[in-house]
Amino acid sequence: AIGAYRVIGERSGTERALSEDQKVFFANNRNDRSVSPGETDFVEAAAAVTPGVVHIRTTYESTASRNPWEEYYGAPQGVARGSGSGVIITADGYIATNNHVVEDASSIEVVLPDKRTFKAKAAGFDPNTDLALIKIDGSKFPVEKMGNSDVVRVGEWVLAVGYPFSLNTTVTAGIISAKGRSIGILDESRGGPRQQTSVAIESFIQTDAAINPGNSGGALVNARGELIGINSAIASQTGSYAGYGFAIPVNLAKKVLEDLIKFGRVKRAFLGVTFPSPLAEEQFFKEQGINPGAIDGVYITGVQSGSAAAAAGLRAGDVIKKIDGVEVSSSAEFS
């Protein structure tokens, strides 16, 4: 028993699961959050979260062609520098951000709220969720505490924290406007139409907290200062805040980031079914003569031969209502 204890105790932090790292860190670094979800005073929550949200500056050797992210954020063509935000998730310097913030960057610089500057290296990318992981050298960095995005509710108060327009740490407040949103930007950013077989996963938390260019990769937190999402996109005709911001749920991000830490890539299990994409779901039902309101779950349009779904007996026309006891009411939630 003593030997096993020593072996486990000597493992590096990257060998532990990300959730275990979080438990260990906050067991040894207590930061009681006295703010209740019903209060609108965010002073304690803002103080708890801002130390772990960083400014990311990127440079590029050559400019890429214009893509839908530039349309959302109003980025000019011909630029050689970029700016975004990131969230520290481990004390030894792993930082979560958006894929579009650091993808194709020739160099990445991280500036902490206390003005310390670090050169960062890419640790993994996942375009399917627009998440990326970067690493800075050091220890005892402030870590953002992860919450549970599955239990957040529409109407709940939230804070968006980041570096909009390269300003210093900025905190804005709003509410959760919707959950499970799909806006089609992940497939568009890769130059292709949305297909039934798309592997992009969009189930954004929508908020009216002000999110602007530079907020990408920053934190969306609840009134207790717990991270519930990674800010990713805005819907705007001008490229600036228009009341609609979107964040990647932390429960989805946690799985992706943990895989990037362990393997440098994301490992996914495929059920082996096809279903209408979220944006085309209603139109598909109408074409099939099906009342969309009659489908309480995810309508399966096809099953791949030899897949887990085929082995389980799923067939085209079936409706998946729950996964492991958790109800799913849309294809975005299902993904």
Side-chain angles (χ1 to χ4, degrees), residues 26-172:
F26 286 102
N28 295 310
N29 297 270
R30 294 193 176 278
N31 187 1
D32 294 332
R33 291 159 169 81
S34 58
V35 179
S36 71
E39 295 180 5
T40 56
D41 185 349
F42 296 117
V43 174
E44 295 296 329
V49 71
T50 50
V53 180
V54 302
H55 189 192
I56 297 176
R57 298 170 178 165
T58 53
T59 57
Y60 303 86
E61 292 181 354
S62 61
T63 58
S65 60
R66 194 169 183 84
N67 61 53
W69 288 111
E70 292 174 340
E71 300 294 340
Y72 269 68
Y73 288 95
Q77 289 181 289
V79 296
R81 297 181 182 275
S83 178
S85 305
V87 178
I88 301 176
I89 58 173
T90 68
D92 59 349
Y94 278 103
I95 298 171
T97 186
N98 288 147
N99 179 71
H100 75 266
V101 169
V102 294
E103 187 179 30
D104 298 326
S106 56
S107 67
I108 305 171
E109 183 182 65
V110 171
V111 183
L112 270 61
D114 60 11
K115 306 303 181 184
R116 286 184 292 165
T117 302
F118 297 84
K119 288 292 184 182
K121 59 182 179 181
F125 304 93
D126 184 40
N128 289 324
T129 55
D130 192 35
L131 285 167
L133 187 72
I134 61 176
K135 178 73 166 62
I136 57 176
D137 292 330
S139 60
K140 298 182 179 179
F141 292 112
V143 176
E144 298 296 356
K145 185 174 184 179
M146 293 184 178
N148 183 355
S149 55
D150 287 344
V151 301
V152 300
R153 297 176 296 174
V154 173
E156 182 176 335
W157 282 101
V158 290
L159 297 178
V161 185
Y163 292 78
F165 302 111
S166 295
L167 295 170
N168 289 335
T169 309
T170 300
V171 179
T172 58

Side-chain angles (χ1 to χ4, degrees), residues 21 99 140 160 224 228 322:
D21 265 345
N99 179 71
K140 298 182 179 179
R224 294 182 294 275
I228 59 170
K322 293 183 180 180

Side-chain angles (χ1 to χ4, degrees), residues 214-233:
N215 271 117
S216 293
L220 186 72
V221 302
N222 60 22
R224 294 182 294 275
E226 297 170 336
L227 182 70
I228 59 170
I230 303 294
N231 298 325
S232 184

Side-chain angles (χ1 to χ4, degrees), residues 17-20 22-23 89 96 129 131 133 144-150 227-230 248-262 266:
L18 182 56
S19 55
E20 293 177 9
Q22 287 262 321
K23 290 178 182 177
I89 58 173
T129 55
L131 285 167
L133 187 72
E144 298 296 356
K145 185 174 184 179
M146 293 184 178
N148 183 355
S149 55
D150 287 344
L227 182 70
I228 59 170
I230 303 294
I248 302 162
V250 72
N251 287 14
L252 170 60
K254 194 184 304 182
K255 151 68 179 171
V256 171
L257 297 169
E258 189 167 290
D259 277 6
L260 293 178
I261 290 175
K262 289 183 177 180
V266 180

